[in-house]
Amino acid sequence: MGDYRGTALIPAAERGHVETVRTLIEAGTDIDYVNNLGWTALLEAIILSDGGSRHVEIVELLVDAGADMNLADNDGISSLQHARQRGYTEITEILEKTGAK
């Protein structure tokens, strides 16, 4: 794709498309790809979500697939910090138990 979104995984994660995210991970998509905004699929699944069950599942899929949880955005804010700031308890717990900083 030629826009700021980068790979198809990033908008799928943002929009809560669980099965699409699963399919793209299984197809070998670069899960740590950073788009022009400085965001990965994991960051978008947190920053641009409501923290609901679909996004919790997407965060779990990305973490289980080996996403780098400590890749920060352009401002140096990590996925864990974004989850905490938004009060996303389930996402925060997933990230904390897997060693995110």
Side-chain angles (χ1 to χ4, degrees):
M1 293 175 71
D3 64 15
Y4 67 90
R5 296 184 188 275
T7 69
L9 181 62
I10 293 174
E14 169 207 333
R15 294 182 185 138
H17 297 283
V18 176
E19 291 309 314
T20 303
V21 168
R22 182 178 284 116
T23 300
L24 290 168
I25 289 171
E26 290 171 356
T29 299
D30 180 359
I31 57 175
D32 290 326
Y33 182 89
V34 178
N35 70 12
N36 293 343
L37 297 176
W39 295 349
T40 62
L42 180 60
L43 283 164
E44 288 221 6
I46 297 167
I47 295 168
L48 298 176
S49 80
D50 60 4
S53 61
R54 291 180 309 150
H55 288 98
V56 169
E57 189 171 350
I58 287 170
V59 168
E60 287 177 328
L61 287 170
L62 292 167
V63 168
D64 289 348
D68 184 343
M69 296 168 292
N70 295 314
L71 280 176
D73 65 17
N74 287 342
D75 296 320
I77 302 171
S78 72
S79 298
L80 179 58
Q81 290 169 306
H82 278 291
R84 284 180 178 154
Q85 287 172 359
R86 287 162 176 75
Y88 296 166
T89 308
E90 288 180 87
I91 292 174
T92 298
E93 289 173 0
I94 292 164
L95 296 172
E96 285 175 340
K97 76 178 179 187
T98 52
K101 295 180 171 63

